[in-house]
């Protein structure tokens, strides 16, 4: 497993927002502690693959995507959203399956995984644990200095997961402890406020 330290002062994170039915979002972000840039983001739509084959075909597509991203960008860690406890049993099981193949891909490539609750991600990025998708998109755009709102929302959520980990990692490096969510929101603004950067967006496959 790779160490939770930036390589050559640069921390590169693959953020993943697994979905039970809709697209699974992904975003690759790197930061030197002063500025941050997006390397790629998008969302994988597996509905067509599921209709063509089976639920297993959709899981295989997610696994293939994560493996490709890990090989191409070699992130030092992967950050993924945890399962929301209020989901119904069927949805929770489906989401667990998707997270499972994401974790499998990370393990196969020896990449460290960090899981964050949805409320912590929202509090860290938007300063509010109940922020809606549009609010998250706007905050991700602001924090990453993007020219446009990241689309689709699933991709913005994945970028938010990566930003949440970067904020957590920075606090741990500085103080050796994890901050409260409200403090995290302020920390993200200082840690990843950036100059506008060109991103390679891939909204679907």
């Amino acid at each position: 497993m790779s160490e939770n330290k930036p390589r050559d002062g640069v921390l590169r994170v693959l953020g993943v927002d697994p979905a039970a039915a809709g697209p699974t979002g992904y975003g690759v972000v790197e930061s030197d502690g002063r500025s941050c840039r997006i390397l790629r983001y998008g969302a994988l739509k597996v509905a067509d693959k599921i209709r063509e084959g089976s639920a297993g075909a959709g899981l295989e597509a997610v696994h293939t995507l994560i493996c490709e991203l890990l090989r191409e960008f070699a992130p030092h860690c992967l950050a993924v959203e945890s399962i929301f406890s209020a989901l119904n049993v069927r949805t929770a099981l489906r989401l667990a399956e998707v997270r499972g193949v994401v974790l499998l891909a990370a393990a196969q490539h020896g990449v460290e995984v960090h899981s964050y609750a949805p409320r912590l991600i929202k509090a860290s990025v938007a300063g509010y644990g109940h922020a809606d998708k549009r609010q998250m998109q706007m905050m991700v755009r602001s924090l990453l200095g993007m020219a446009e709102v990241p689309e689709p929302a699933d991709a913005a959520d994945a970028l938010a997961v990566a930003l949440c980990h970067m904020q957590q990692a920075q606090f741990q490096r500085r103080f050796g402890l994890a901050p409260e969510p409200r403090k995290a929101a302020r920390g993200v603004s200082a840690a990843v406020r950036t100059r506008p950067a060109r991103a390679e967006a891939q909204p679907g496959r």
Side-chain angles (χ1 to χ4, degrees):
M1 303 291 276
S2 59
E3 294 182 0
N4 189 22
K5 296 180 180 179
R7 291 191 293 261
D8 299 324
V10 175
L11 174 64
R12 181 177 295 178
V13 180
L14 168 59
V16 180
D17 176 43
T24 288
Y26 59 90
V28 184
V29 182
E30 68 177 20
S31 173
D32 61 5
R34 296 181 302 275
S35 63
C36 182
R37 69 180 182 128
I38 305 170
L39 302 182
R40 181 175 297 172
Y41 71 95
L44 174 66
K45 299 178 181 179
V46 299
D48 292 339
K49 296 182 180 295
I50 292 175
R51 284 195 294 268
E52 294 170 1
S54 64
L59 295 175
E60 181 182 18
V62 173
H63 179 267
T64 298
L65 168 66
I66 300 302
C67 287
E68 290 175 351
L69 292 170
L70 292 172
R71 286 193 294 267
E72 180 175 356
F73 295 100
H76 97 279
C77 68
L78 183 151
V80 61
E81 183 175 287
S82 62
I83 298 175
F84 185 47
S85 59
L87 295 174
N88 63 58
V89 175
R90 178 177 297 181
T91 302
L93 288 174
R94 174 60 182 161
L95 186 57
E97 292 174 344
V98 178
R99 288 186 82 254
V101 298
V102 171
L103 299 182
L104 172 62
Q108 290 173 328
H109 288 78
V111 175
E112 186 175 291
V113 176
H114 300 269
S115 183
Y116 297 99
R119 287 187 181 179
L120 175 60
I121 296 168
K122 292 179 179 180
S124 297
V125 174
Y128 176 55
H130 296 281
D132 61 29
K133 285 188 175 293
R134 186 61 180 176
Q135 290 173 318
M136 292 296 290
Q137 285 177 289
M138 296 301 292
M139 286 303 302
V140 168
R141 174 188 178 183
S142 175
L143 291 171
L144 291 173
M146 302 174 69
E148 299 178 349
V149 173
E151 294 285 357
D154 310 274
D157 288 343
L159 291 171
V161 177
L163 289 174
C164 176
H165 174 73
M166 286 183 168
Q167 179 273 325
Q168 295 289 323
Q170 180 168 341
F171 268 87
Q172 289 176 359
R173 287 197 303 272
R174 287 184 176 179
F175 308 112
L177 50 84
E180 294 296 324
R182 288 292 179 180
K183 294 181 181 178
R186 294 195 294 271
V188 168
S189 298
V192 301
R193 192 172 301 279
T194 66
R195 299 180 297 275
R198 296 181 62 184
E200 179 185 353
Q202 295 189 349
R205 291 196 171 194

